[in-house]
PDB file of all heavy atoms in Angstrom:
ATOM      1  N   SER P 153     -49.971 207.375  87.530  1.00 90.00           N
ATOM      2  CA  SER P 153     -51.049 206.584  86.867  1.00 90.00           C
ATOM      3  C   SER P 153     -52.314 207.521  86.570  1.00 90.00           C
ATOM      4  O   SER P 153     -52.962 207.324  85.574  1.00 90.00           O
ATOM      5  CB  SER P 153     -51.484 205.411  87.802  1.00 90.00           C
ATOM      6  OG  SER P 153     -51.907 205.844  89.096  1.00 90.00           O
ATOM      7  N   ALA P 154     -52.616 208.414  87.437  1.00 90.00           N
ATOM      8  CA  ALA P 154     -53.660 209.318  87.163  1.00 90.00           C
ATOM      9  C   ALA P 154     -53.455 210.177  86.009  1.00 90.00           C
ATOM     10  O   ALA P 154     -54.301 210.392  85.171  1.00 90.00           O
ATOM     11  CB  ALA P 154     -54.092 210.198  88.377  1.00 90.00           C
ATOM     12  N   ARG P 155     -52.191 210.676  85.885  1.00 92.00           N
ATOM     13  CA  ARG P 155     -51.746 211.529  84.753  1.00 92.00           C
ATOM     14  C   ARG P 155     -51.811 210.747  83.496  1.00 92.00           C
ATOM     15  O   ARG P 155     -52.243 211.245  82.413  1.00 92.00           O
ATOM     16  CB  ARG P 155     -50.383 212.167  84.952  1.00 92.00           C
ATOM     17  CG  ARG P 155     -50.384 213.168  86.128  1.00 92.00           C
ATOM     18  CD  ARG P 155     -49.086 213.979  86.056  1.00 92.00           C
ATOM     19  NE  ARG P 155     -47.912 213.136  86.377  1.00 92.00           N
ATOM     20  CZ  ARG P 155     -47.485 212.861  87.636  1.00 92.00           C
ATOM     21  NH1 ARG P 155     -48.179 213.364  88.657  1.00 92.00           N
ATOM     22  NH2 ARG P 155     -46.446 212.077  87.873  1.00 92.00           N
ATOM     23  N   ALA P 156     -51.356 209.433  83.495  1.00 92.00           N
ATOM     24  CA  ALA P 156     -51.414 208.619  82.365  1.00 92.00           C
ATOM     25  C   ALA P 156     -52.816 208.364  81.929  1.00 92.00           C
ATOM     26  O   ALA P 156     -53.107 208.387  80.682  1.00 92.00           O
ATOM     27  CB  ALA P 156     -50.693 207.287  82.618  1.00 92.00           C
ATOM     28  N   THR P 157     -53.742 208.199  82.821  1.00 92.00           N
ATOM     29  CA  THR P 157     -55.147 208.013  82.468  1.00 92.00           C
ATOM     30  C   THR P 157     -55.709 209.259  81.738  1.00 92.00           C
ATOM     31  O   THR P 157     -56.433 209.146  80.752  1.00 92.00           O
ATOM     32  CB  THR P 157     -56.040 207.743  83.759  1.00 92.00           C
ATOM     33  OG1 THR P 157     -55.509 206.530  84.281  1.00 92.00           O
ATOM     34  CG2 THR P 157     -57.480 207.582  83.402  1.00 92.00           C
ATOM     35  N   SER P 158     -55.423 210.398  82.304  1.00 93.00           N
ATOM     36  CA  SER P 158     -55.839 211.614  81.671  1.00 93.00           C
ATOM     37  C   SER P 158     -55.218 211.818  80.234  1.00 93.00           C
ATOM     38  O   SER P 158     -56.035 212.204  79.296  1.00 93.00           O
ATOM     39  CB  SER P 158     -55.437 212.913  82.508  1.00 93.00           C
ATOM     40  OG  SER P 158     -56.186 212.868  83.688  1.00 93.00           O
ATOM     41  N   LYS P 159     -54.029 211.426  80.025  1.00 94.00           N
ATOM     42  CA  LYS P 159     -53.384 211.517  78.739  1.00 94.00           C
ATOM     43  C   LYS P 159     -54.091 210.533  77.811  1.00 94.00           C
ATOM     44  O   LYS P 159     -54.314 210.897  76.561  1.00 94.00           O
ATOM     45  CB  LYS P 159     -51.979 211.228  78.768  1.00 94.00           C
ATOM     46  CG  LYS P 159     -51.061 212.341  79.495  1.00 94.00           C
ATOM     47  CD  LYS P 159     -49.641 211.973  79.510  1.00 94.00           C
ATOM     48  CE  LYS P 159     -48.807 213.105  80.154  1.00 94.00           C
ATOM     49  NZ  LYS P 159     -47.281 212.825  80.210  1.00 94.00           N
ATOM     50  N   LEU P 160     -54.387 209.335  78.236  1.00 94.00           N
ATOM     51  CA  LEU P 160     -55.017 208.351  77.386  1.00 94.00           C
ATOM     52  C   LEU P 160     -56.485 208.909  76.969  1.00 94.00           C
ATOM     53  O   LEU P 160     -56.881 208.819  75.842  1.00 94.00           O
ATOM     54  CB  LEU P 160     -55.209 207.022  78.060  1.00 94.00           C
ATOM     55  CG  LEU P 160     -56.069 206.005  77.355  1.00 94.00           C
ATOM     56  CD1 LEU P 160     -55.523 205.638  76.069  1.00 94.00           C
ATOM     57  CD2 LEU P 160     -56.297 204.729  78.193  1.00 94.00           C
ATOM     58  N   GLU P 161     -57.134 209.490  77.970  1.00 94.00           N
ATOM     59  CA  GLU P 161     -58.540 210.018  77.702  1.00 94.00           C
ATOM     60  C   GLU P 161     -58.467 211.112  76.673  1.00 94.00           C
ATOM     61  O   GLU P 161     -59.292 211.170  75.742  1.00 94.00           O
ATOM     62  CB  GLU P 161     -59.169 210.559  78.920  1.00 94.00           C
ATOM     63  CG  GLU P 161     -60.480 211.094  78.850  1.00 94.00           C
ATOM     64  CD  GLU P 161     -61.069 211.532  80.172  1.00 94.00           C
ATOM     65  OE1 GLU P 161     -60.295 212.061  81.017  1.00 94.00           O
ATOM     66  OE2 GLU P 161     -62.320 211.528  80.324  1.00 94.00           O
ATOM     67  N   ALA P 162     -57.440 212.007  76.811  1.00 95.00           N
ATOM     68  CA  ALA P 162     -57.316 213.022  75.843  1.00 95.00           C
ATOM     69  C   ALA P 162     -56.984 212.572  74.481  1.00 95.00           C
ATOM     70  O   ALA P 162     -57.554 213.007  73.483  1.00 95.00           O
ATOM     71  CB  ALA P 162     -56.167 214.037  76.317  1.00 95.00           C
ATOM     72  N   ALA P 163     -56.098 211.585  74.360  1.00 95.00           N
ATOM     73  CA  ALA P 163     -55.791 210.969  73.032  1.00 95.00           C
ATOM     74  C   ALA P 163     -56.932 210.348  72.457  1.00 95.00           C
ATOM     75  O   ALA P 163     -57.242 210.403  71.188  1.00 95.00           O
ATOM     76  CB  ALA P 163     -54.670 209.942  73.202  1.00 95.00           C
ATOM     77  N   VAL P 164     -57.845 209.633  73.217  1.00 94.00           N
ATOM     78  CA  VAL P 164     -58.983 208.919  72.677  1.00 94.00           C
ATOM     79  C   VAL P 164     -60.035 210.007  72.113  1.00 94.00           C
ATOM     80  O   VAL P 164     -60.523 209.777  71.022  1.00 94.00           O
ATOM     81  CB  VAL P 164     -59.637 208.075  73.789  1.00 94.00           C
ATOM     82  CG1 VAL P 164     -61.010 207.551  73.311  1.00 94.00           C
ATOM     83  CG2 VAL P 164     -58.729 206.865  74.085  1.00 94.00           C
ATOM     84  N   VAL P 165     -60.380 210.969  72.947  1.00 95.00           N
ATOM     85  CA  VAL P 165     -61.411 211.889  72.488  1.00 95.00           C
ATOM     86  C   VAL P 165     -61.002 212.659  71.346  1.00 95.00           C
ATOM     87  O   VAL P 165     -61.768 213.016  70.484  1.00 95.00           O
ATOM     88  CB  VAL P 165     -61.970 212.729  73.686  1.00 95.00           C
ATOM     89  CG1 VAL P 165     -62.654 211.828  74.633  1.00 95.00           C
ATOM     90  CG2 VAL P 165     -60.882 213.460  74.329  1.00 95.00           C
ATOM     91  N   LYS P 166     -59.664 213.065  71.361  1.00 95.00           N
ATOM     92  CA  LYS P 166     -59.162 213.936  70.237  1.00 95.00           C
ATOM     93  C   LYS P 166     -59.093 213.158  68.922  1.00 95.00           C
ATOM     94  O   LYS P 166     -59.158 213.786  67.835  1.00 95.00           O
ATOM     95  CB  LYS P 166     -57.815 214.479  70.579  1.00 95.00           C
ATOM     96  CG  LYS P 166     -57.822 215.617  71.610  1.00 95.00           C
ATOM     97  CD  LYS P 166     -56.503 216.398  71.718  1.00 95.00           C
ATOM     98  CE  LYS P 166     -55.491 215.502  72.275  1.00 95.00           C
ATOM     99  NZ  LYS P 166     -54.222 216.231  72.599  1.00 95.00           N
ATOM    100  N   SER P 167     -58.920 211.834  68.995  1.00 93.00           N
ATOM    101  CA  SER P 167     -58.874 211.050  67.781  1.00 93.00           C
ATOM    102  C   SER P 167     -60.279 210.770  67.082  1.00 93.00           C
ATOM    103  O   SER P 167     -60.348 210.309  65.975  1.00 93.00           O
ATOM    104  CB  SER P 167     -58.248 209.665  68.092  1.00 93.00           C
ATOM    105  OG  SER P 167     -59.067 208.868  68.883  1.00 93.00           O
ATOM    106  N   ALA P 168     -61.261 211.056  67.813  1.00 95.00           N
ATOM    107  CA  ALA P 168     -62.706 210.866  67.251  1.00 95.00           C
ATOM    108  C   ALA P 168     -63.029 212.046  66.371  1.00 95.00           C
ATOM    109  O   ALA P 168     -62.370 213.120  66.530  1.00 95.00           O
ATOM    110  CB  ALA P 168     -63.708 210.791  68.422  1.00 95.00           C
ATOM    111  N   ASP P 169     -63.944 211.893  65.528  1.00 96.00           N
ATOM    112  CA  ASP P 169     -64.453 212.952  64.643  1.00 96.00           C
ATOM    113  C   ASP P 169     -65.282 213.967  65.445  1.00 96.00           C
ATOM    114  O   ASP P 169     -65.364 215.075  65.032  1.00 96.00           O
ATOM    115  CB  ASP P 169     -65.333 212.344  63.528  1.00 96.00           C
ATOM    116  CG  ASP P 169     -64.531 211.482  62.596  1.00 96.00           C
ATOM    117  OD1 ASP P 169     -63.478 211.934  62.133  1.00 96.00           O
ATOM    118  OD2 ASP P 169     -64.921 210.384  62.386  1.00 96.00           O
ATOM    119  N   GLY P 170     -65.831 213.542  66.588  1.00 97.00           N
ATOM    120  CA  GLY P 170     -66.636 214.467  67.472  1.00 97.00           C
ATOM    121  C   GLY P 170     -66.947 213.744  68.645  1.00 97.00           C
ATOM    122  O   GLY P 170     -66.911 212.619  68.769  1.00 97.00           O
ATOM    123  N   ILE P 171     -67.231 214.585  69.703  1.00 97.00           N
ATOM    124  CA  ILE P 171     -67.694 213.947  70.979  1.00 97.00           C
ATOM    125  C   ILE P 171     -68.946 214.659  71.479  1.00 97.00           C
ATOM    126  O   ILE P 171     -69.246 215.822  71.156  1.00 97.00           O
ATOM    127  CB  ILE P 171     -66.587 214.038  72.034  1.00 97.00           C
ATOM    128  CG1 ILE P 171     -66.336 215.406  72.549  1.00 97.00           C
ATOM    129  CG2 ILE P 171     -65.290 213.447  71.587  1.00 97.00           C
ATOM    130  CD1 ILE P 171     -65.460 215.519  73.876  1.00 97.00           C
ATOM    131  N   ALA P 172     -69.701 213.845  72.175  1.00 98.00           N
ATOM    132  CA  ALA P 172     -70.937 214.441  72.811  1.00 98.00           C
ATOM    133  C   ALA P 172     -70.775 214.280  74.380  1.00 98.00           C
ATOM    134  O   ALA P 172     -70.257 213.240  74.885  1.00 98.00           O
ATOM    135  CB  ALA P 172     -72.172 213.660  72.403  1.00 98.00           C
ATOM    136  N   VAL P 173     -71.012 215.309  75.107  1.00 97.00           N
ATOM    137  CA  VAL P 173     -70.946 215.214  76.586  1.00 97.00           C
ATOM    138  C   VAL P 173     -72.322 215.460  77.193  1.00 97.00           C
ATOM    139  O   VAL P 173     -73.168 216.025  76.543  1.00 97.00           O
ATOM    140  CB  VAL P 173     -69.953 216.297  77.147  1.00 97.00           C
ATOM    141  CG1 VAL P 173     -68.540 215.965  76.555  1.00 97.00           C
ATOM    142  CG2 VAL P 173     -70.403 217.724  76.720  1.00 97.00           C
ATOM    143  N   VAL P 174     -72.540 214.979  78.436  1.00 95.00           N
ATOM    144  CA  VAL P 174     -73.863 214.972  78.977  1.00 95.00           C
ATOM    145  C   VAL P 174     -74.217 216.176  79.805  1.00 95.00           C
ATOM    146  O   VAL P 174     -75.263 216.263  80.375  1.00 95.00           O
ATOM    147  CB  VAL P 174     -74.005 213.667  79.879  1.00 95.00           C
ATOM    148  CG1 VAL P 174     -73.979 212.458  78.939  1.00 95.00           C
ATOM    149  CG2 VAL P 174     -73.105 213.610  80.946  1.00 95.00           C
ATOM    150  N   HIS P 175     -73.227 217.066  79.991  1.00 94.00           N
ATOM    151  CA  HIS P 175     -73.521 218.290  80.765  1.00 94.00           C
ATOM    152  C   HIS P 175     -72.680 219.408  80.318  1.00 94.00           C
ATOM    153  O   HIS P 175     -71.510 219.245  79.843  1.00 94.00           O
ATOM    154  CB  HIS P 175     -73.232 218.025  82.312  1.00 94.00           C
ATOM    155  CG  HIS P 175     -73.959 218.948  83.214  1.00 94.00           C
ATOM    156  ND1 HIS P 175     -73.389 220.163  83.488  1.00 94.00           N
ATOM    157  CD2 HIS P 175     -75.179 218.935  83.826  1.00 94.00           C
ATOM    158  CE1 HIS P 175     -74.190 220.837  84.314  1.00 94.00           C
ATOM    159  NE2 HIS P 175     -75.282 220.015  84.513  1.00 94.00           N
ATOM    160  N   ASP P 176     -73.143 220.637  80.455  1.00 93.00           N
ATOM    161  CA  ASP P 176     -72.371 221.774  79.913  1.00 93.00           C
ATOM    162  C   ASP P 176     -71.085 221.993  80.745  1.00 93.00           C
ATOM    163  O   ASP P 176     -70.163 222.477  80.140  1.00 93.00           O
ATOM    164  CB  ASP P 176     -73.268 223.100  80.232  1.00 93.00           C
ATOM    165  CG  ASP P 176     -74.552 223.045  79.329  1.00 93.00           C
ATOM    166  OD1 ASP P 176     -74.562 223.554  78.232  1.00 93.00           O
ATOM    167  OD2 ASP P 176     -75.622 222.646  79.865  1.00 93.00           O
ATOM    168  N   ARG P 177     -71.080 221.583  81.947  1.00 93.00           N
ATOM    169  CA  ARG P 177     -69.802 221.757  82.772  1.00 93.00           C
ATOM    170  C   ARG P 177     -68.676 220.828  82.201  1.00 93.00           C
ATOM    171  O   ARG P 177     -67.491 221.118  82.466  1.00 93.00           O
ATOM    172  CB  ARG P 177     -70.018 221.412  84.248  1.00 93.00           C
ATOM    173  CG  ARG P 177     -70.566 222.631  85.002  1.00 93.00           C
ATOM    174  CD  ARG P 177     -70.582 222.385  86.451  1.00 93.00           C
ATOM    175  NE  ARG P 177     -69.451 221.871  87.183  1.00 93.00           N
ATOM    176  CZ  ARG P 177     -69.173 221.922  88.421  1.00 93.00           C
ATOM    177  NH1 ARG P 177     -70.029 222.598  89.250  1.00 93.00           N
ATOM    178  NH2 ARG P 177     -68.067 221.440  88.952  1.00 93.00           N
ATOM    179  N   PHE P 178     -69.147 219.746  81.531  1.00 95.00           N
ATOM    180  CA  PHE P 178     -68.020 218.912  80.910  1.00 95.00           C
ATOM    181  C   PHE P 178     -67.304 219.563  79.750  1.00 95.00           C
ATOM    182  O   PHE P 178     -66.149 219.250  79.513  1.00 95.00           O
ATOM    183  CB  PHE P 178     -68.702 217.595  80.386  1.00 95.00           C
ATOM    184  CG  PHE P 178     -69.028 216.598  81.385  1.00 95.00           C
ATOM    185  CD1 PHE P 178     -69.271 216.955  82.768  1.00 95.00           C
ATOM    186  CD2 PHE P 178     -69.283 215.256  81.077  1.00 95.00           C
ATOM    187  CE1 PHE P 178     -69.573 216.027  83.664  1.00 95.00           C
ATOM    188  CE2 PHE P 178     -69.611 214.294  81.989  1.00 95.00           C
ATOM    189  CZ  PHE P 178     -69.797 214.695  83.317  1.00 95.00           C
ATOM    190  N   VAL P 179     -67.922 220.592  79.178  1.00 96.00           N
ATOM    191  CA  VAL P 179     -67.374 221.240  77.972  1.00 96.00           C
ATOM    192  C   VAL P 179     -66.048 221.887  78.420  1.00 96.00           C
ATOM    193  O   VAL P 179     -64.988 221.688  77.643  1.00 96.00           O
ATOM    194  CB  VAL P 179     -68.350 222.240  77.398  1.00 96.00           C
ATOM    195  CG1 VAL P 179     -67.575 222.996  76.239  1.00 96.00           C
ATOM    196  CG2 VAL P 179     -69.527 221.542  76.996  1.00 96.00           C
ATOM    197  N   ASP P 180     -66.036 222.636  79.496  1.00 93.00           N
ATOM    198  CA  ASP P 180     -64.818 223.283  79.880  1.00 93.00           C
ATOM    199  C   ASP P 180     -63.603 222.307  80.055  1.00 93.00           C
ATOM    200  O   ASP P 180     -62.476 222.584  79.700  1.00 93.00           O
ATOM    201  CB  ASP P 180     -65.009 224.160  81.118  1.00 93.00           C
ATOM    202  CG  ASP P 180     -65.941 225.378  80.915  1.00 93.00           C
ATOM    203  OD1 ASP P 180     -66.016 225.777  79.743  1.00 93.00           O
ATOM    204  OD2 ASP P 180     -66.508 225.829  81.898  1.00 93.00           O
ATOM    205  N   HIS P 181     -63.978 221.239  80.719  1.00 94.00           N
ATOM    206  CA  HIS P 181     -62.938 220.306  81.021  1.00 94.00           C
ATOM    207  C   HIS P 181     -62.299 219.630  79.655  1.00 94.00           C
ATOM    208  O   HIS P 181     -61.105 219.553  79.526  1.00 94.00           O
ATOM    209  CB  HIS P 181     -63.489 219.149  81.834  1.00 94.00           C
ATOM    210  CG  HIS P 181     -62.387 218.091  82.217  1.00 94.00           C
ATOM    211  ND1 HIS P 181     -61.575 218.298  83.325  1.00 94.00           N
ATOM    212  CD2 HIS P 181     -62.196 216.903  81.708  1.00 94.00           C
ATOM    213  CE1 HIS P 181     -60.771 217.234  83.361  1.00 94.00           C
ATOM    214  NE2 HIS P 181     -61.055 216.390  82.438  1.00 94.00           N
ATOM    215  N   VAL P 182     -63.216 219.180  78.763  1.00 95.00           N
ATOM    216  CA  VAL P 182     -62.686 218.581  77.531  1.00 95.00           C
ATOM    217  C   VAL P 182     -61.934 219.544  76.657  1.00 95.00           C
ATOM    218  O   VAL P 182     -61.040 219.111  75.959  1.00 95.00           O
ATOM    219  CB  VAL P 182     -63.792 217.776  76.806  1.00 95.00           C
ATOM    220  CG1 VAL P 182     -64.322 216.700  77.715  1.00 95.00           C
ATOM    221  CG2 VAL P 182     -64.904 218.707  76.294  1.00 95.00           C
ATOM    222  N   VAL P 183     -62.356 220.812  76.652  1.00 96.00           N
ATOM    223  CA  VAL P 183     -61.760 221.902  75.851  1.00 96.00           C
ATOM    224  C   VAL P 183     -60.403 222.321  76.508  1.00 96.00           C
ATOM    225  O   VAL P 183     -59.258 222.347  75.852  1.00 96.00           O
ATOM    226  CB  VAL P 183     -62.727 223.015  75.583  1.00 96.00           C
ATOM    227  CG1 VAL P 183     -61.876 224.179  74.949  1.00 96.00           C
ATOM    228  CG2 VAL P 183     -63.817 222.638  74.715  1.00 96.00           C
ATOM    229  N   ASN P 184     -60.402 222.647  77.777  1.00 95.00           N
ATOM    230  CA  ASN P 184     -59.308 223.238  78.437  1.00 95.00           C
ATOM    231  C   ASN P 184     -58.288 222.172  78.998  1.00 95.00           C
ATOM    232  O   ASN P 184     -57.077 222.415  78.923  1.00 95.00           O
ATOM    233  CB  ASN P 184     -59.754 224.155  79.631  1.00 95.00           C
ATOM    234  CG  ASN P 184     -60.584 225.226  79.136  1.00 95.00           C
ATOM    235  OD1 ASN P 184     -60.415 225.813  78.022  1.00 95.00           O
ATOM    236  ND2 ASN P 184     -61.523 225.703  79.921  1.00 95.00           N
ATOM    237  N   GLU P 185     -58.748 220.987  79.397  1.00 94.00           N
ATOM    238  CA  GLU P 185     -57.882 220.037  79.961  1.00 94.00           C
ATOM    239  C   GLU P 185     -57.497 218.949  78.969  1.00 94.00           C
ATOM    240  O   GLU P 185     -56.343 218.411  79.029  1.00 94.00           O
ATOM    241  CB  GLU P 185     -58.510 219.435  81.234  1.00 94.00           C
ATOM    242  CG  GLU P 185     -58.835 220.450  82.265  1.00 94.00           C
ATOM    243  CD  GLU P 185     -57.612 221.169  82.904  1.00 94.00           C
ATOM    244  OE1 GLU P 185     -56.608 220.533  82.914  1.00 94.00           O
ATOM    245  OE2 GLU P 185     -57.853 222.389  83.188  1.00 94.00           O
ATOM    246  N   LEU P 186     -58.457 218.503  78.096  1.00 95.00           N
ATOM    247  CA  LEU P 186     -58.182 217.430  77.170  1.00 95.00           C
ATOM    248  C   LEU P 186     -57.899 218.014  75.793  1.00 95.00           C
ATOM    249  O   LEU P 186     -57.533 217.277  74.909  1.00 95.00           O
ATOM    250  CB  LEU P 186     -59.394 216.479  77.084  1.00 95.00           C
ATOM    251  CG  LEU P 186     -59.892 215.869  78.439  1.00 95.00           C
ATOM    252  CD1 LEU P 186     -60.990 214.887  78.190  1.00 95.00           C
ATOM    253  CD2 LEU P 186     -58.737 215.149  79.103  1.00 95.00           C
ATOM    254  N   HIS P 187     -58.021 219.342  75.709  1.00 95.00           N
ATOM    255  CA  HIS P 187     -57.521 220.084  74.464  1.00 95.00           C
ATOM    256  C   HIS P 187     -58.336 219.583  73.199  1.00 95.00           C
ATOM    257  O   HIS P 187     -57.768 219.431  72.076  1.00 95.00           O
ATOM    258  CB  HIS P 187     -56.070 219.870  74.224  1.00 95.00           C
ATOM    259  CG  HIS P 187     -55.252 220.218  75.543  1.00 95.00           C
ATOM    260  ND1 HIS P 187     -55.261 221.557  75.976  1.00 95.00           N
ATOM    261  CD2 HIS P 187     -54.472 219.512  76.350  1.00 95.00           C
ATOM    262  CE1 HIS P 187     -54.476 221.597  77.083  1.00 95.00           C
ATOM    263  NE2 HIS P 187     -54.034 220.309  77.301  1.00 95.00           N
ATOM    264  N   VAL P 188     -59.595 219.356  73.306  1.00 96.00           N
ATOM    265  CA  VAL P 188     -60.471 219.064  72.116  1.00 96.00           C
ATOM    266  C   VAL P 188     -61.026 220.334  71.587  1.00 96.00           C
ATOM    267  O   VAL P 188     -61.467 221.180  72.420  1.00 96.00           O
ATOM    268  CB  VAL P 188     -61.694 218.080  72.520  1.00 96.00           C
ATOM    269  CG1 VAL P 188     -62.530 217.938  71.325  1.00 96.00           C
ATOM    270  CG2 VAL P 188     -61.124 216.859  73.155  1.00 96.00           C
ATOM    271  N   PRO P 189     -60.961 220.656  70.323  1.00 96.00           N
ATOM    272  CA  PRO P 189     -61.427 221.923  69.824  1.00 96.00           C
ATOM    273  C   PRO P 189     -62.878 222.016  70.076  1.00 96.00           C
ATOM    274  O   PRO P 189     -63.669 221.097  69.980  1.00 96.00           O
ATOM    275  CB  PRO P 189     -61.225 221.764  68.267  1.00 96.00           C
ATOM    276  CG  PRO P 189     -60.061 220.776  68.131  1.00 96.00           C
ATOM    277  CD  PRO P 189     -60.252 219.820  69.267  1.00 96.00           C
ATOM    278  N   ARG P 190     -63.243 223.266  70.468  1.00 96.00           N
ATOM    279  CA  ARG P 190     -64.691 223.494  70.992  1.00 96.00           C
ATOM    280  C   ARG P 190     -65.768 223.114  69.873  1.00 96.00           C
ATOM    281  O   ARG P 190     -66.792 222.604  70.241  1.00 96.00           O
ATOM    282  CB  ARG P 190     -64.865 224.940  71.363  1.00 96.00           C
ATOM    283  CG  ARG P 190     -66.353 225.283  71.798  1.00 96.00           C
ATOM    284  CD  ARG P 190     -66.703 224.561  73.077  1.00 96.00           C
ATOM    285  NE  ARG P 190     -68.067 224.718  73.423  1.00 96.00           N
ATOM    286  CZ  ARG P 190     -69.125 223.988  73.043  1.00 96.00           C
ATOM    287  NH1 ARG P 190     -68.910 223.086  72.072  1.00 96.00           N
ATOM    288  NH2 ARG P 190     -70.376 224.257  73.412  1.00 96.00           N
ATOM    289  N   GLU P 191     -65.411 223.303  68.647  1.00 96.00           N
ATOM    290  CA  GLU P 191     -66.406 223.075  67.535  1.00 96.00           C
ATOM    291  C   GLU P 191     -66.685 221.528  67.433  1.00 96.00           C
ATOM    292  O   GLU P 191     -67.594 221.171  66.752  1.00 96.00           O
ATOM    293  CB  GLU P 191     -65.881 223.648  66.228  1.00 96.00           C
ATOM    294  CG  GLU P 191     -64.598 223.046  65.661  1.00 96.00           C
ATOM    295  CD  GLU P 191     -63.365 223.771  66.183  1.00 96.00           C
ATOM    296  OE1 GLU P 191     -63.503 224.562  67.226  1.00 96.00           O
ATOM    297  OE2 GLU P 191     -62.290 223.547  65.552  1.00 96.00           O
TER     298      GLU P 191
END
Side-chain angles (χ1 to χ4, degrees):
S153 58
R155 290 191 296 273
T157 300
S158 292
K159 288 181 179 179
L160 173 63
E161 183 179 31
V164 169
V165 295
K166 285 193 292 187
S167 69
D169 296 307
I171 72 169
V173 297
V174 298
H175 200 275
D176 298 273
R177 272 187 54 162
F178 284 20
V179 175
D180 289 341
H181 182 84
V182 299
V183 171
N184 298 327
E185 302 298 326
L186 304 183
H187 309 295
V188 178
R190 177 63 185 86
E191 64 272 14

